[in-house]
Amino acid sequence: MTAALDSKPIKRVELSHFVEEVGLRFEAVGLPRMAGRIFGWLLIANPPHQSMGDLVEVLQASKGSISTMTRLLIQISLIERVSFPGQRRDYFQIKPHAWSQLSQQRMTQITAFRKLAERGLNLLADQPLPLQQRLQEMRDMHAFLERELPLLDQRWQQEQEQQGQKRQNPRSE
C-alpha cells in the first residue's frame, strides 16, 4: 500500500492491518469484507479521493470487485463519487456527514420495526398476553430508540458546533 500521509511515516504493514481490520468489522455486521477494505483505505488515504485504478492497485483486487463494492458503499451513503474539471476519471471519497446520514437511515428502520410490531400486536389483540410479549418487547424497544436517538443526535450536533467554534477560536479556552 502506498500512502503519502502528511504526519510521521506509517509502516505499510500497519496500513494494511488497519484496512483489513475495517474489512473484518464490515463483515461482522453483514457487509462484504471488500466494501470494508475500500472504506478503510478511504479513511486513511492521501489524497482523500482515490480513483478506481488507485483502489485496484492498493487493495490488490479486481476492477469488477471494486466497482461492485463502491456502488454498494455509495448506495448506503458512506462514500461518494467525485470528479474534477479537466480529468476524465472519477474518484471516490468518504461522504461528508456519512455517520449522521447513517444514523438518520437507522431511525427510519427503527420506526418501521416499531410499526411492524404494532401491526403484529393488533393481530394478536384477542390472544393471551404471553403470546404478545415478544411483540411488546420489540415495539417497546423500538419506541424507546425512537425517543432517545434524536436526543443523542441533538447532543452530537451541539458537540460538533462547539468543536467548530473551538477550532475557529483556539485561544478562547
Side-chain angles (χ1 to χ4, degrees), residues 38-40 42-43 48 78-80 92-99:
I38 293 168
F39 189 73
L42 290 176
L43 284 170
L78 284 177
I79 69 170
E80 64 184 359
F92 301 95
Q93 67 184 17
I94 302 292
K95 190 172 184 177
H97 311 292
W99 302 113

Side-chain angles (χ1 to χ4, degrees), residues 52 70 83 164:
M52 174 79 68
T70 53
S83 61

Side-chain angles (χ1 to χ4, degrees), residues 113-114 117-118 121 134-144 146:
F113 274 102
R114 180 198 40 84
E118 288 173 351
L121 284 168
R134 292 169 292 196
L135 285 166
Q136 286 173 342
E137 181 182 358
M138 179 180 167
R139 182 208 47 214
D140 294 348
M141 179 63 176
H142 288 87
F144 172 80
E146 276 184 301

Side-chain angles (χ1 to χ4, degrees), residues 33-143:
R33 185 184 298 191
M34 181 54 72
R37 292 179 70 221
I38 293 168
F39 189 73
W41 177 249
L42 290 176
L43 284 170
I44 61 173
N46 187 18
H49 55 274
Q50 298 283 296
S51 70
M52 174 79 68
D54 295 333
L55 294 171
V56 165
E57 179 184 336
V58 166
L59 300 174
Q60 299 176 355
S62 72
K63 188 174 180 178
S65 177
I66 298 293
S67 177
T68 300
M69 293 301 109
T70 53
R71 280 195 310 271
L72 171 67
L73 291 167
I74 289 168
Q75 185 178 17
I76 61 175
S77 298
L78 284 177
I79 69 170
E80 64 184 359
R81 183 185 310 264
V82 294
S83 61
F84 298 103
Q87 293 191 17
R88 295 193 306 198
R89 70 176 68 174
D90 288 333
Y91 295 87
F92 301 95
Q93 67 184 17
I94 302 292
K95 190 172 184 177
H97 311 292
W99 302 113
S100 296
Q101 290 178 357
L102 277 179
S103 180
Q104 291 169 358
Q105 290 172 6
R106 181 75 174 125
M107 273 301 299
T108 301
Q109 294 169 347
I110 288 167
T111 299
F113 274 102
R114 180 198 40 84
K115 289 179 178 179
L116 188 59
E118 288 173 351
R119 281 185 48 216
L121 284 168
N122 287 335
L123 289 172
L124 298 180
D126 60 347
Q127 298 297 312
L129 286 178
L131 291 177
Q132 297 178 31
Q133 284 179 329
R134 292 169 292 196
L135 285 166
Q136 286 173 342
E137 181 182 358
M138 179 180 167
R139 182 208 47 214
D140 294 348
M141 179 63 176
H142 288 87

Side-chain angles (χ1 to χ4, degrees), residues 94-104 148-167:
I94 302 292
K95 190 172 184 177
H97 311 292
W99 302 113
S100 296
Q101 290 178 357
L102 277 179
S103 180
Q104 291 169 358
E148 296 299 319
L149 285 180
L151 299 174
L152 285 174
D153 188 48
Q154 288 174 351
R155 287 179 47 207
W156 168 253
Q157 294 302 325
Q158 291 170 350
E159 188 172 303
Q160 291 303 296
E161 289 170 11
Q162 290 170 356
Q163 291 297 326
Q165 290 170 359
K166 286 180 185 176
R167 281 189 281 266

